[in-house]
Amino acid sequence: MLGSERRGTKRKLTTMADDPDDQADRKTPGLPYAAERQSCFRISLVKLQAAQRLIEPSLRRSVLICNTLKHIEDELRAEGNLGLLHSAYAFATGNTPACAPPTPIRQPEPMPLTLNESAAEDIASYIEDLNNDTVQKEERRKTNKLECATVNQSTGSPEETAKDHSPSCMTLTNAQLRIQSSSLGANTVQSDSINLDEIFSDLDNSLYDIDFLTPYTANIKLTPLSEDDVSNSFSSASFATHQVTTNQTCRQTEEWNELDHIMEVLVGM
Amino acid sequence: MCNRMGEGVGRRVRGVLSEWAIADAGNGGGDIQWCFSQVKGTVEEDVTEDGDSWEYADIISTVEFNQDGELLATGDKGGRVVIFKREPPETKQSLPRRGEYNVYSTFQSHEPEFDYLKSLEIEEKINKIRWLPRQNAAYSLLSTNDKTVKLWKITERDKRPDGFNLKDDEGRIKNPNDITALRVPFFKPTELIVEASPRRVYANAHTYHINSISLNSDHETFLSGDDLRINLWHLEITDRSFNIVDIKPANMEELTEVITAAEFHPSMCNVFVYSSSKGTIRLCDMRQRALCDQHSKMFEEPEDPSNRSFFSEIISSISDVKFSHSGRYLISRDYLSVKVWDLQMDSRPIETYQVHEYLRSKLCSLYENDCIFDKFECAWNGTDSQIMTGSYNNFFRMFDRNTKRDLTLEASRENTKPKCILKPRRVCTGGKRKKDEISVDSLDFNKKILHTAWHPTENIIAVAATNNLYIFQDKDKV
């Protein structure tokens, strides 16, 4: 019979139970909800990444994927599970850290940072990525970085800025790109960052220099370590810039190569 | 009567398989018994000598009956339109009783284009076809791809002028010295030629992908809707259109919702609806203001908190919305269900029918393989008592609003035997699988029925299964 031959070629559904790729589930083993959420998060990132076809991808699909990602991120932030957010980003881009979180996604910088501080900076930059416009983020990172760090060090969960300013598909994609860039390590050239600064020097960021997080950080109980960081950062500019420069160069290596892609997507939207 | 197709034989009509079922005396029940009638398209195993089988371009992307049901138009991913016309049965005993749909015209509606500004291709895939009411001997339809709407006129020619004085039979100019007599030219009957010609091209009005076109009941205007905007056109004017809905945010980064479908009310020429990816349907009145961003009514069902998941928003995205013929109701199709709304009540639907609830537990996998983004269409029958929509594994579902009974049928070449009433199919959701049931994990998600159409007055349905078009008829009716 015609049909019976075809039946053998039918595709089977892969169910959640069959999914072996739950490496990101380390922190909360055995919780199907969290595992599903991680998997969904990872898949969403991959889907956004893969939208590089010749034919314009469907706007509806992109918007739905972005909204799904946003829901999951909101949930993760509300729970304070930013480490999971971390590893999900890393896993999606194939840069799984060998050890359990919290480990910085970025390659170790020359600065002798404590684990806490470096993680805080990474988290800060991720949040910034999600909230900022792509072009201005290099500049804004300097001002908002450590404020974001304080937010995450807190015990209470701050109101999500993401709810006020929805991260776009664009910025999420950029977040992935930044992760890709960081994975290449600290083979940076100081001249690169200088060139980029020159290129962006004509951008006027005064309109965008809005501090999203200060209303929320006021009520947050700060850990002593982070308070020190904040006071130090404001007083010693060199400390901040040195950190920023190092991180900048780590991240911008591949970003410059991806800038064309970003502009293309911007124009496309 | 002999038909000659317009622009070359499409692949789809090569290897046409045509069968029919005998309509015997009725069964006395109220339910319709559906029988196989015809199937158009190549069989998968049909590989011709030059190694071609059916292609991506043959996938049917839209199906639409005209106002009297005599014509059935299909559009495919290759930009072609194929129109089938119902031939009256030759004798009373011939089958199918109501006549067969045979190819009437084939033409290339849209060509692939390239957007040089964005360096992106514009697909030639026909997204929608809408028939215009017939006003003269010609038929007219609107067809659209992602960017351009076209008005096509389909005309028949079965005569040609002959007997010219100055030209000979082949059209060559005669030598004037050879003309000895004067005659009156006359019309000579020829074989029927069906020609399609583009009469209007409505272009350059949409930045995003057009997903809907809808003719107004005034028969003078129509709307075209893309992801973020809806434009109103006059059929005669191609260089101008009015924007009536614009949901594009000032900052594209804040975009969270897109328009998924739009339709004019069947009798109120000032009313239209549009659905969104967030599961809302907005009804707008064009008399209120020129830009209908403010809706008159919004139809939205509050979310069931017990069914909440990461995919709640995606599965609530409405893929199709259709007014009933009466204009009193409308149906909306989201991923798992079809909802019937009363225009008078916007708080919740009056009826909800589950299409394939067994997929709710599989949403993560369906998200992974992109099936969750499939856009299924839905259709009313002529009397607004039944609703039809498609599913996976070439299944399609019928819901009777009066008896509340539902039926699952399969569009498959297995059921093309004569005297063959389609057997209802059942999906096993858990536990022991009974005989004749199919388990959820065995469903073929590549075989999806996205496009279906119901004859405006009779119980004849057209179901598009990838590259094949199935026509089913009610067993009882003569």
Side-chain angles (χ1 to χ4, degrees):
Chain A
M1 218 32 238
L2 224 61
S4 55
E5 288 156 7
R6 294 209 314 260
R7 280 199 196 277
T9 61
K10 274 185 183 166
R11 248 164 43 134
K12 298 231 181 238
L13 265 180
T14 55
T15 61
M16 279 310 303
D18 301 333
D19 188 7
D21 298 330
D22 272 342
Q23 296 182 30
D25 193 24
R26 251 169 253 268
K27 280 204 101 172
T28 54
L31 270 182
Y33 181 79
E36 188 178 346
R37 183 170 58 189
Q38 284 298 100
S39 174
C40 180
F41 193 84
R42 179 177 21 101
I43 294 166
S44 304
L45 284 180
V46 170
K47 278 188 188 305
L48 283 179
Q49 226 173 353
Q52 314 235 357
R53 302 187 292 265
L54 188 58
I55 296 169
E56 204 168 352
S58 159
L59 187 64
R60 169 183 167 261
R61 184 172 173 270
S62 307
V63 166
L64 289 173
I65 296 171
C66 282
N67 288 351
T68 308
L69 266 178
K70 193 177 50 134
H71 288 318
I72 296 176
E73 274 173 24
D74 289 349
E75 263 188 31
L76 283 174
R77 278 214 197 82
E79 290 175 11
N81 276 340
L82 285 153
L84 284 176
L85 194 73
H86 247 338
S87 8
Y89 272 124
F91 194 82
T93 57
N95 182 30
T96 317
C99 49
T103 50
I105 300 297
R106 310 258 186 271
Q107 292 299 314
E109 287 97 4
M111 283 296 289
L113 300 171
T114 67
L115 214 59
N116 245 348
E117 288 167 349
S118 55
E121 279 151 15
D122 296 333
I123 292 164
S125 62
Y126 282 121
I127 292 177
E128 269 198 280
D129 296 345
L130 298 168
N131 287 327
N132 297 348
D133 189 28
T134 58
V135 179
Q136 282 88 24
K137 67 178 182 293
E138 275 80 20
E139 276 65 30
R140 296 202 52 235
R141 198 187 314 125
K142 294 175 196 170
T143 52
N144 287 337
K145 218 164 78 63
L146 290 163
E147 286 150 1
C148 295
T150 61
V151 167
N152 289 300
Q153 298 278 349
S154 69
T155 51
S157 303
E159 261 295 286
E160 278 320 307
T161 57
K163 285 174 190 155
D164 295 325
H165 304 272
S166 331
S168 68
C169 306
M170 264 297 303
T171 55
L172 285 169
T173 315
N174 254 325
Q176 303 168 53
L177 298 173
R178 296 168 64 76
I179 297 155
Q180 283 172 337
S181 70
S182 71
S183 66
L184 290 181
N187 302 332
T188 63
V189 180
Q190 289 292 335
S191 59
D192 273 358
S193 62
I194 292 167
N195 286 340
L196 285 165
D197 287 343
E198 280 172 1
I199 289 156
F200 290 123
S201 61
D202 61 337
L203 283 173
D204 176 22
N205 295 318
S206 56
L207 289 173
Y208 306 99
D209 222 350
I210 310 156
D211 184 2
F212 291 118
L213 296 175
T214 40
Y216 306 113
T217 57
N219 300 328
I220 289 162
K221 181 188 165 203
L222 301 173
T223 65
L225 187 62
S226 50
E227 272 178 348
D228 288 344
D229 276 350
V230 172
S231 54
N232 282 341
S233 72
F234 282 123
S235 58
S236 73
S238 58
F239 172 74
T241 49
H242 184 63
Q243 293 230 3
V244 166
T245 312
T246 323
N247 290 333
Q248 240 179 352
T249 50
C250 285
R251 290 161 201 154
Q252 283 166 359
T253 318
E254 288 304 297
E255 274 175 2
W256 179 234
N257 299 334
E258 301 292 333
L259 196 60
D260 280 348
H261 172 72
I262 295 167
M263 293 312 295
E264 202 178 277
V265 181
L266 268 175
V267 169
M269 293 293 256
Chain B
M1 192 151 74
C2 179
N3 287 340
R4 203 172 87 192
M5 285 166 281
E7 219 174 286
V9 179
R11 258 182 241 273
R12 188 182 322 128
V13 296
R14 191 160 25 104
V16 154
L17 203 78
S18 234
E19 297 175 21
W20 48 82
I22 297 169
D24 281 331
N27 59 350
D31 284 345
I32 300 174
Q33 288 194 293
W34 290 99
C35 293
F36 173 82
S37 175
Q38 293 171 268
V39 60
K40 308 283 191 192
T42 56
V43 186
E44 264 178 50
E45 285 80 8
D46 253 10
V47 180
T48 60
E49 281 181 6
D50 51 5
D52 291 330
S53 61
W54 66 274
E55 288 183 349
Y56 176 84
D58 292 336
I59 296 174
I60 299 170
S61 51
T62 185
V63 186
E64 187 82 358
F65 280 101
N66 75 334
Q67 275 78 3
D68 60 11
E70 292 303 302
L71 295 179
L72 175 61
T74 62
D76 65 16
K77 290 200 174 181
R80 288 166 305 197
V81 171
V82 179
I83 300 175
F84 301 90
K85 188 174 189 185
R86 183 157 71 170
E87 305 296 326
E90 283 161 26
T91 66
K92 271 211 159 175
Q93 280 72 40
S94 63
L95 306 159
R97 292 263 184 103
R98 291 199 199 83
E100 253 186 16
Y101 282 89
N102 293 322
V103 178
Y104 178 66
S105 173
T106 303
F107 57 92
Q108 186 76 32
S109 171
H110 286 74
E111 297 277 359
E113 284 169 36
F114 195 78
D115 182 339
Y116 294 99
L117 192 63
K118 296 183 192 173
S119 292
L120 291 168
E121 277 182 11
I122 298 171
E123 272 194 296
E124 67 274 29
K125 169 171 77 92
I126 307 294
N127 291 333
K128 280 287 182 317
I129 289 174
R130 289 287 180 261
W131 287 97
L132 267 61
R134 201 172 178 198
Q135 287 167 333
N136 48 37
Y139 298 102
S140 301
L141 59 81
L142 287 169
S143 71
T144 184
N145 71 344
D146 283 341
K147 298 287 185 183
T148 307
V149 185
K150 291 187 185 179
L151 174 67
W152 287 87
K153 198 159 192 174
I154 298 110
T155 47
E156 289 182 8
R157 198 148 54 96
D158 59 358
K159 313 180 203 8
R160 71 177 183 91
D162 197 23
F164 289 106
N165 290 296
L166 299 174
K167 287 189 285 188
D168 65 14
D169 284 344
E170 275 101 54
R172 287 186 296 236
I173 307 290
K174 277 188 189 169
N175 187 341
N177 299 327
D178 294 341
I179 301 173
T180 52
L182 198 63
R183 57 182 178 168
V184 178
F186 59 96
F187 274 102
K188 188 168 85 172
T190 62
E191 59 181 75
L192 179 70
I193 300 169
V194 181
E195 292 171 328
S197 57
R199 287 292 204 228
R200 302 273 185 281
V201 177
Y202 310 93
N204 301 321
H206 287 278
T207 311
Y208 304 98
H209 292 177
I210 298 175
N211 51 52
S212 314
I213 44 173
S214 178
L215 188 67
N216 202 347
S217 50
D218 64 10
H219 299 163
E220 280 186 359
T221 55
F222 70 95
L223 63 77
S224 60
D226 67 27
D227 291 322
L228 297 178
R229 298 189 177 102
I230 300 177
N231 293 332
L232 181 71
W233 302 81
H234 192 283
L235 282 168
E236 297 299 320
I237 300 168
T238 60
D239 61 354
R240 218 175 312 162
S241 73
F242 290 101
N243 176 242
I244 52 178
V245 173
D246 188 342
I247 64 167
K248 180 173 186 277
N251 183 2
M252 276 297 278
E253 291 183 2
E254 291 163 21
L255 178 66
T256 56
E257 192 174 10
V258 299
I259 298 172
T260 52
E263 196 181 48
F264 265 120
H265 190 276
S267 51
M268 290 193 276
C269 59
N270 52 296
V271 171
F272 67 94
V273 294
Y274 68 92
S275 60
S276 81
S277 59
K278 283 199 169 171
T280 63
I281 305 161
R282 288 176 173 84
L283 184 139
C284 300
D285 187 335
M286 293 195 292
R287 293 174 303 190
Q288 261 184 312
R289 50 167 60 92
L291 188 61
C292 299
D293 281 357
Q294 305 286 329
H295 52 264
S296 299
K297 281 197 179 198
M298 184 156 90
F299 300 88
E300 187 178 16
E301 184 172 27
E303 196 186 354
D304 179 5
S306 61
N307 270 335
R308 184 130 179 61
S309 75
F310 315 114
F311 310 107
S312 292
E313 184 176 323
I314 300 182
I315 62 169
S316 73
S317 169
I318 292 174
S319 51
D320 192 20
V321 68
K322 290 261 168 49
F323 276 104
S324 64
H325 291 90
S326 63
R328 211 190 131 189
Y329 304 102
L330 58 85
I331 43 174
S332 66
R333 174 72 156 99
D334 50 68
Y335 190 64
L336 297 180
S337 66
V338 183
K339 294 179 180 170
V340 182
W341 301 83
D342 186 330
L343 289 192
Q344 318 281 356
M345 184 169 83
D346 53 6
S347 54
R348 56 185 162 78
I350 56 171
E351 292 153 33
T352 303
Y353 300 99
Q354 301 299 335
V355 181
H356 36 219
E357 182 70 12
Y358 46 80
L359 295 183
R360 193 179 286 275
S361 53
K362 311 284 184 191
L363 290 178
C364 198
S365 311
L366 293 166
Y367 181 59
E368 201 167 358
N369 62 22
D370 263 10
C371 283
I372 208 172
F373 298 109
D374 288 334
K375 291 183 77 170
F376 292 94
E377 289 173 12
C378 49
W380 293 93
N381 73 336
T383 55
D384 299 337
S385 61
Q386 305 228 10
I387 296 163
M388 167 171 73
T389 189
S391 178
Y392 293 104
N393 207 70
N394 278 356
F395 287 173
F396 56 99
R397 302 266 282 143
M398 327 275 277
F399 303 99
D400 190 320
R401 293 181 64 207
N402 299 323
T403 65
K404 300 293 187 237
R405 278 207 282 265
D406 62 290
L407 184 62
T408 306
L409 299 173
E410 184 179 357
S412 149
R413 299 238 175 204
E414 281 179 28
N415 303 329
T416 57
K417 296 192 285 266
K419 293 189 191 180
C420 178
I421 296 174
L422 294 182
K423 194 175 62 177
R425 303 303 310 260
R426 246 176 273 285
V427 176
C428 162
T429 53
K432 283 194 190 147
R433 187 175 76 86
K434 299 191 191 82
K435 188 189 162 206
D436 285 347
E437 276 188 358
I438 182 166
S439 74
V440 180
D441 295 321
S442 307
L443 294 174
D444 188 344
F445 289 84
N446 285 326
K447 294 194 172 146
K448 43 193 100 173
I449 305 246
L450 303 173
H451 313 286
T452 57
W454 204 310
H455 191 285
T457 49
E458 297 170 36
N459 283 331
I460 304 174
I461 53 177
V463 172
T466 319
N467 63 321
N468 288 324
L469 180 73
Y470 288 82
I471 299 171
F472 300 103
Q473 293 194 21
D474 178 11
K475 174 176 175 286
D476 288 339
K477 290 284 164 62
V478 175

